[in-house]
Amino acid sequence: CYCHFTSPIRRYPDLVVHRVLKLQLAYEQLGGKDALVRMPRLIGKGRESLPRILPQICRACSDAERAADAASHATQKIKIAQYYEDRLGERYAGTVSWVSSMGLFVRLDLTQVEGLVSIKSLGNEWFEFDEDALTLTGADTGTRYELGQRVIIEVSRVNTTRGHLDFKLIH
């Protein structure tokens, strides 16, 4: 009974949905004959009618929304990096949120921001990456890092242009 889109990028999809709803309401409340009379005004006619161009409209709207989401995400990463730029050397508690052959991704408790503890910064020993278990295990010491592990990190480097945070593992 109710349809609402909040983002400015969704205004055109909102318009399309309302056109379809108005046509359906016309059929239900006025009957098929009167709805047919109103149909060209509601959804167009011929080659440019809504049913004919709807696949292209949907594709274009989806593409535009994906582009807007990507831009929004990139902007947020840059603003977060700017926030942490003045906090180099500060320590924070967090949780290992992902493990890869590159190192550990840590999500900070305070801001829910993620940064990378590079495998190079873990020390001079060789770390074996287990892709199935998502763990890094030190060949010499047996030190193991895994998802969900609680850690203390230090902000070691910030790249505001790319929106990247690099962390150094403290504990």
Side-chain angles (χ1 to χ4, degrees):
C1 295
Y2 177 74
C3 187
H4 180 75
F5 300 99
T6 56
S7 171
I9 198 70
R10 294 184 184 99
R11 287 188 183 139
Y12 191 66
D14 190 28
L15 176 67
V16 172
V17 168
H18 282 99
R19 286 178 180 167
V20 172
L21 290 174
K22 285 178 184 178
L23 180 62
Q24 184 61 37
L25 288 172
Y27 271 109
E28 290 175 8
Q29 295 178 2
L30 303 174
K33 195 174 194 179
D34 285 339
L36 283 173
V37 170
R38 294 170 190 251
M39 191 182 321
R41 204 175 61 219
L42 291 172
I43 61 169
K45 59 183 179 178
R47 291 184 334 187
E48 296 173 3
S49 70
L50 192 59
R52 297 274 308 263
I53 63 173
L54 196 56
Q56 296 92 321
I57 289 172
C58 291
R59 222 176 351 269
C61 290
S62 291
D63 291 346
E65 184 159 359
R66 281 188 199 96
D69 284 346
S72 172
H73 184 68
T75 302
Q76 286 174 343
K77 285 177 64 175
I78 289 169
K79 293 310 263 178
I80 287 165
Q82 288 173 345
Y83 174 81
Y84 280 97
E85 194 172 34
D86 295 333
R87 288 161 176 80
L88 289 172
E90 290 185 14
R91 294 179 177 186
Y92 300 95
T95 304
V96 176
S97 58
W98 192 251
V99 180
S100 77
S101 58
M102 291 173 36
L104 311 169
F105 289 89
V106 175
R107 183 178 303 266
L108 302 182
D109 293 347
L110 185 63
T111 57
Q112 299 301 303
V113 169
E114 278 190 331
L116 174 66
V117 176
S118 169
I119 199 165
K120 294 175 189 174
S121 72
L122 292 176
N124 291 329
E125 75 177 303
W126 177 260
F127 280 88
E128 191 68 38
F129 172 56
D130 183 336
E131 191 172 1
D132 294 329
L134 292 176
T135 59
L136 283 173
T137 306
D140 298 334
T141 62
T143 302
R144 181 178 160 136
Y145 300 104
E146 60 190 0
L147 287 178
Q149 185 173 351
R150 300 288 296 153
V151 294
I152 303 294
I153 59 87
E154 182 178 289
V155 179
S156 61
R157 194 172 76 91
V158 175
N159 183 331
T160 53
T161 305
R162 291 180 156 221
H164 291 178
L165 299 175
D166 289 335
F167 299 151
K168 176 181 166 189
L169 190 63
I170 301 302
H171 177 72

